[in-house]
Amino acid sequence: MNTVVEALTEPFQYGFMVRAFVGVSLIAVLSGVVGSFIMLKGMAFMGDAVAHAAFGGLVAALLLGVPAQAGALTVALATAAGLTALGRKTDLRADTTLAILFTGAFALGVMGLTLRPNFAGDLTALLVGSVLGISQSDIAWILGAAWATALLVGLTFRHLVYISFDPKGAEAAGLPVAVLQLLLLSLVALTVTVSLQAVGTVMVVALLITPAATAFLFCRRLEQLMLVAAALGLTATWIGLYASYYLATPPGATVVTAATVQFAAGLVVRRRLRTQGKPITPS
């Protein structure tokens, strides 16, 4: 028993591990809330686009010597606004607009990194993140993002649900669909920005989407979906960080792998429930 307790508490002897657990746990809850809306609206590719665009903002911030989160958030919000505007004012398909915006911003970011001496090291860190490098200021950014998201979702929850399930009906009812769409994309941008330090550009969308997708296998009510997605994200975070500590594997990748295993297990459970004729979704 003592051995188990020691194994569970040993990582917390180190300040960087405490910050990693706190930071990524907060991100998991934040991602569970925002990721649930992404799932309902089929916006996974939009999340990917915002993440890659934010990469360009990170590089710009490094070159200008300003806080990385400020640069990433500025570009991510600009991308969200651009997606909303181009989606309503041009005849281009949504996926075409997304591809143009995020590949352009990402390419500019890579080109900007070549101006720095440690090009390869910076590129790797930005692409895969550095969970163990989460600082007190990073946690402050994450807390601020969580507070802002809770406030905005609380104030606009019913409207966001309406545009998620029936955007045309919401527009006919007089709701400002474009404004609400921009708000939702802005929340995605905020979540992506504060998650980049932990898991990097490549895997940030997995943290947003995978727990919510697993929850979606069993939940249909949005409130349940958000709670289960947050719980699954927290579980994957703690399993991944413990596994990373004892197996010496990359923390961000290990957390995402744990979330992916959860999804695979969810598919198996769902299939067995269907085979046995049992209800899949809770009432």
Side-chain angles (χ1 to χ4, degrees):
M1 182 66 179
N2 289 337
T3 304
V4 174
V5 173
E6 289 175 0
L8 291 174
T9 58
E10 181 180 328
F12 297 99
Q13 297 175 14
Y14 306 98
F16 63 87
M17 286 301 299
V18 173
R19 291 190 294 274
F21 272 94
V22 172
V24 185
S25 294
L26 289 170
I27 289 171
V29 174
L30 181 60
S31 297
V33 173
V34 177
S36 297
F37 285 106
I38 292 176
M39 279 297 305
L40 289 178
K41 286 198 58 76
M43 291 168 52
F45 191 35
M46 286 189 180
D48 192 32
V50 171
H52 282 77
F55 174 84
L58 280 175
V59 174
L62 288 175
L63 294 175
L64 296 173
V66 299
Q69 292 92 339
L73 183 59
T74 299
V75 174
L77 289 175
T79 302
L83 289 173
T84 303
L86 290 175
R88 297 179 67 86
K89 296 182 179 180
T90 71
D91 295 327
L92 294 174
R93 287 172 54 90
D95 55 354
T96 302
T97 304
L98 286 167
I100 293 171
L101 285 175
F102 92 73
T103 54
F106 188 77
L108 287 173
V110 173
M111 290 176 63
L113 272 184
T114 61
L115 301 175
R116 292 174 59 86
N118 188 26
F119 166 71
D122 287 338
L123 182 60
T124 300
L126 293 176
L127 289 178
V128 302
S130 178
V131 172
L132 303 184
I134 292 177
S135 64
Q136 294 286 359
S137 63
D138 293 324
I139 291 177
W141 273 90
I142 297 168
L143 280 171
W147 180 86
T149 299
L151 178 64
L152 291 172
V153 170
L155 290 173
T156 61
F157 182 77
R158 292 182 181 276
H159 291 167
L160 289 177
V161 172
Y162 200 171
I163 69 164
S164 296
F165 284 103
D166 187 9
K168 291 184 178 179
E171 192 163 14
L175 291 180
V177 174
V179 174
L180 292 169
Q181 178 81 4
L182 177 59
L183 172 62
L184 189 53
L185 282 174
S186 297
L187 293 178
V188 173
L190 187 60
T191 304
V192 164
T193 298
V194 298
S195 304
L196 288 175
Q197 169 67 46
V199 293
T201 304
V202 174
M203 290 178 287
V204 65
V205 179
L207 205 58
L208 264 174
I209 298 300
T210 308
T214 306
F216 191 71
L217 295 174
F218 304 97
C219 304
R220 284 299 177 267
R221 290 179 56 192
L222 183 57
E223 297 90 338
Q224 292 174 336
L225 182 63
M226 290 191 293
L227 286 173
V228 174
L232 289 171
L234 279 172
T235 304
T237 290
W238 283 64
I239 291 174
L241 288 178
Y242 272 115
S244 171
Y245 179 81
Y246 286 107
L247 300 177
T249 54
T254 310
V255 169
V256 172
T257 299
T260 305
V261 171
Q262 283 181 337
F263 180 73
L267 286 176
V268 172
V269 171
R270 180 183 171 89
R271 183 171 183 178
R272 287 186 177 180
L273 289 174
R274 275 184 168 175
T275 302
Q276 295 171 7
K278 295 180 179 180
I280 294 173
T281 58
S283 58

